[in-house]
Amino acid sequence: MNLKELSERLALSPTTVSRALNGYPEVNEATRLRVTEAAARYNYRPNARALHLATGRSMSIGHIIPFSRTNEMVNIVFADFIAGAGEVYSLNGYNMTLTVVRDEDEMSAYRRIAENGSVDGLIVQSPVCDDPRIAHLAALDIPFLVHGRASDINIPYAWMDVNNTQALEVLTGHLIGLGHRRIGFINGQERMDFAQRRRQGYLNALKAAGITPEPALMYSGEMSEQNGHASADAMLALDDPPTAFVTSSVVPALGIRRAISARGLRLGQDISLACFDDDISYLRNGDVVPEFTAVRSSVRAAGRRCAQMLIDQINAPDHRLEHDLWEAELITGQSTGPCPGVQT
Amino acid sequence: MNLKELSERLALSPTTVSRALNGYPEVNEATRLRVTEAAARYNYRPNARALHLATGRSMSIGHIIPFSRTNEMVNIVFADFIAGAGEVYSLNGYNMTLTVVRDEDEMSAYRRIAENGSVDGLIVQSPVCDDPRIAHLAALDIPFLVHGRASDINIPYAWMDVNNTQALEVLTGHLIGLGHRRIGFINGQERMDFAQRRRQGYLNALKAAGITPEPALMYSGEMSEQNGHASADAMLALDDPPTAFVTSSVVPALGIRRAISARGLRLGQDISLACFDDDISYLRNGDVVPEFTAVRSSVRAAGRRCAQMLIDQINAPDHRLEHDLWEAELITGQSTGPCPGVQT
DNA sequence: GAATCACTCCAAAGCGCTTTGAATAGTGAA
DNA sequence: TTCACTATTCAAAGCGCTTTGGAGTGATTC
């Protein structure tokens, strides 16, 4: 059942039927009623492909994911982000188009998708420090929004981010306030922009307390349970081991906790542990995992916010590019305590 | 730059340009060369919306996810499945359309999406026992493929599944072979079809060994680390605790392991633990998590397979509906050992 | 009674591509 | 020279919707 057929059955023109269904004012209410009833009865559903061509919009937001990323721990955060964004898309009549591409095709995929009109906007996730995708998209003249930021880029673009630097300053500062001075830092891969900023936050806090950073206490790598365990274990084996750890995610925190308890140390007493918590649905701090002291910022909520910002941008293209910076919230849990042997 | 403009610059008709670009034989090779070169030079990219309308295909596969599911642990498996399916879509020129809907809108969403032509096929994930989605989709006359099966449905439909019953028979049988007779079973939610089948496999193995199943040793619930921990801990507190556990996923297995070690018991010696392993990228058994004895079947590979089967079905609609049943592979790790105090 | 206006409705022109059915030119056979 | 055929190319008709620019009513105004 298409528009033409429906309009024939109603002895009306397609124009009128279309307008009746789309709520245009120039149609008699009695007619509109007849039309909507007939549409419901015959189960009429406007063909999406025709609609997209006619309106020039695809009502779809694109997310591009290179193969290799599908392996990373980004995955776990990714799923929550997607869920949040998807909710908002849905509420606004949008779909999400996921495109998985080979790594070497990533750039050309952005180009192809931006130019062939299959999406109305794009979300860029997990930017690296000087992310080439941003300039590339900016040149392509399609609405896009970056979840995170790319430090060394000075063209304007829309982004939404959490204040990573400040978050790690707070977290590290909290441990310093408890008397800790040897604090192991287990970070994500530092080619990622967020990891760069978190590192900066860690360093800022040390500097403010007059503590000299020590390379042996700083690890950077993929944020897996395994890496958390291995790096923490190595630090604990040092002659002068750390009395506390800060880490970039709940996932390595689980590994760190395992390393701590394997050595017979008590979490929050012998050793403290604080982390950045993305508030991931099935690794909810204090629920699925034990309660860690953390700075928390929901990545799912971020997904919602990003989606909304992008949709706003699509609806008002001459609107200036928006930015949004969230502050993460400190939650003190049972995983941190005063540094043993120090008066606080 | 659209087809019309490009054809004008080439002083050719749109017909010829279109054919040249799409590899039709009735165009002179010299002309084709001119056309492809011009297309590259002017950066011509066929408009996807127009193409979809003209061809009657959207080159897109739909996945529908109700809000509530985005909370579940399904998420973690989901991300890997999506990654696998996405790879195959990409290789075949398809996109993936994810639609997040409110739970009460799930059915109508399937209907809307199937009927408005926005996708060429649908994947149904995580079927429950008498899943209403299947009959619903079958009536809608759109290619779809179920990852998993729904037990009580007798209309024909295409599916791909792992042999869950056999997998748990093997796993439980392995423990029985090691002399265990009190085996705790920590399963997923039993409204899910896969959980139902796994339960059956567990029961089959007990029956084959003449062991009477005991309700106190059987748990069913969402497969979180937390639930794994709590249920295992409760069973270990029984007067006559189990000497081994079987569980439906690596995630609860982590919780079970935590419960075991918290009681000072040694995994693989005092207590055995075996699990079904979906081979999830960032919880890879033996890599990210310790090596568990497991039956393994990659959910990512399943994603690939499902995608391929669905695409085959789309390309050959009169093709009979395919089924594929995979057997999971037993991997013996360090988490299982002979039952203490039993001669084997 | 003519002019104006609001209210409804419609014909037709896109949107940018594919595909059908012909037309044209060139070639070898008869 | 003519005919049948092949190789190329094109005009035009969709695909199913939206939207522009009227057109046809009565009702209202002067």
Side-chain angles (χ1 to χ4, degrees), chain A residues 47-78:
Chain A
N47 180 287
R49 293 185 301 262
L51 203 136
H52 295 161
L53 178 59
T55 56
R57 303 181 54 168
S58 63
M59 296 312 285
S60 178
I61 307 290
H63 293 238
I64 294 180
I65 306 137
F67 276 174
S68 70
R69 288 269 172 89
T70 62
N71 272 321
E72 287 179 17
M73 174 266 167
V74 164
N75 235 340
I76 195 171
V77 169
F78 170 78

Side-chain angles (χ1 to χ4, degrees), chain B residues 14-94:
Chain B
T15 307
T16 303
V17 175
S18 168
R19 285 185 162 151
L21 259 20
N22 292 315
Y24 282 76
E26 59 269 75
V27 39
N28 187 301
E29 276 310 316
T31 311
R32 192 193 302 280
L33 203 64
R34 270 182 64 216
V35 172
T36 50
E37 273 175 1
R41 186 166 57 254
Y42 296 122
N43 236 308
Y44 168 70
R45 232 165 285 280
N47 181 288
R49 294 185 301 263
L51 203 137
H52 295 160
L53 178 58
T55 56
R57 304 180 56 170
S58 63
M59 296 312 285
S60 177
I61 307 290
H63 294 238
I64 294 180
I65 306 136
F67 277 174
S68 70
R69 288 268 172 89
T70 63
N71 273 321
E72 286 179 19
M73 174 267 167
V74 165
N75 235 339
I76 196 171
V77 169
F78 171 77
D80 248 42
F81 181 88
I82 285 292
E87 288 176 25
V88 173
Y89 294 156
S90 160
L91 263 28
N92 288 273
Y94 281 85

Side-chain angles (χ1 to χ4, degrees), chain A residues 15-29 32 55:
Chain A
T15 307
T16 303
V17 176
S18 167
R19 286 185 161 151
L21 259 19
N22 292 315
Y24 282 75
E26 58 270 76
V27 38
N28 188 301
E29 275 311 316
R32 192 193 301 281
T55 56

Side-chain angles (χ1 to χ4, degrees), chain B residues 171-233:
Chain B
L171 212 52
T172 312
H174 179 75
L175 290 169
I176 292 171
L178 288 166
H180 297 278
R181 295 186 65 82
R182 296 188 60 74
I183 302 171
F185 177 45
I186 293 169
N187 198 12
Q189 294 174 300
E190 288 178 356
R191 62 188 184 82
M192 307 300 287
D193 193 79
F194 78 89
Q196 219 29 259
R197 292 178 192 272
R198 289 182 188 178
R199 176 196 169 94
Q200 196 53 55
Y202 168 77
L203 293 175
N204 289 353
L206 292 192
K207 188 168 186 186
I211 302 171
T212 310
E214 225 173 283
L217 296 185
M218 296 171 68
Y219 170 85
S220 159
E222 194 174 318
M223 298 188 291
S224 63
E225 203 263 3
Q226 176 78 345
N227 281 350
H229 177 266
S231 55
D233 199 58

Side-chain angles (χ1 to χ4, degrees), chain B residues 22-286:
Chain B
N22 292 315
Y24 282 76
E26 59 269 75
V27 39
N28 187 301
E29 276 310 316
T31 311
R32 192 193 302 280
L33 203 64
R34 270 182 64 216
V35 172
T36 50
E37 273 175 1
R41 186 166 57 254
Y42 296 122
N43 236 308
Y44 168 70
R45 232 165 285 280
N47 181 288
R49 294 185 301 263
L51 203 137
H52 295 160
L53 178 58
T55 56
R57 304 180 56 170
S58 63
M59 296 312 285
S60 177
I61 307 290
H63 294 238
I64 294 180
I65 306 136
F67 277 174
S68 70
R69 288 268 172 89
T70 63
N71 273 321
E72 286 179 19
M73 174 267 167
V74 165
N75 235 339
I76 196 171
V77 169
F78 171 77
D80 248 42
F81 181 88
I82 285 292
E87 288 176 25
V88 173
Y89 294 156
S90 160
L91 263 28
N92 288 273
Y94 281 85
N95 280 113
M96 168 165 30
T97 298
L98 276 189
T99 308
V100 176
V101 297
R102 288 181 310 185
D103 292 41
E104 62 270 33
D105 296 338
E106 185 175 4
M107 286 310 205
S108 61
Y110 273 104
R111 171 164 214 125
R112 179 170 46 78
I113 286 169
E115 290 185 340
N116 77 6
S118 60
V119 301
D120 296 334
L122 284 157
I123 293 276
V124 175
Q125 285 169 275
S126 314
V128 297
C129 289
D130 184 15
D131 204 302
R133 292 175 295 176
I134 295 175
H136 194 232
L137 280 175
L140 286 176
D141 187 35
I142 183 174
F144 71 100
L145 187 130
V146 182
H147 178 216
R149 281 171 289 173
S151 305
D152 305 320
I153 289 191
N154 38 27
I155 54 171
Y157 62 93
W159 52 259
M160 183 266 143
D161 201 3
V162 55
N163 194 337
N164 283 299
T165 309
Q166 197 258 0
L168 258 95
E169 264 177 50
V170 166
L171 212 52
T172 312
H174 179 75
L175 290 169
I176 292 171
L178 288 166
H180 297 278
R181 295 186 65 82
R182 296 188 60 74
I183 302 171
F185 177 45
I186 293 169
N187 198 12
Q189 294 174 300
E190 288 178 356
R191 62 188 184 82
M192 307 300 287
D193 193 79
F194 78 89
Q196 219 29 259
R197 292 178 192 272
R198 289 182 188 178
R199 176 196 169 94
Q200 196 53 55
Y202 168 77
L203 293 175
N204 289 353
L206 292 192
K207 188 168 186 186
I211 302 171
T212 310
E214 225 173 283
L217 296 185
M218 296 171 68
Y219 170 85
S220 159
E222 194 174 318
M223 298 188 291
S224 63
E225 203 263 3
Q226 176 78 345
N227 281 350
H229 177 266
S231 55
D233 199 58
M235 290 183 196
L236 289 172
L238 293 172
D239 288 341
D240 192 4
T243 62
F245 290 100
V246 228
T247 185
S248 257
S249 159
V250 173
V251 179
L254 291 171
I256 297 170
R257 187 192 52 163
R258 181 156 66 95
I260 289 170
S261 62
R263 287 179 175 263
L265 299 168
R266 291 160 308 169
L267 189 65
Q269 292 170 274
D270 305 318
I271 297 267
S272 287
L273 169 57
C275 67
F276 188 99
D277 177 7
D278 292 295
D279 201 20
I280 294 163
S281 309
Y282 52 88
L283 282 178
R284 188 104 44 197
N285 191 3

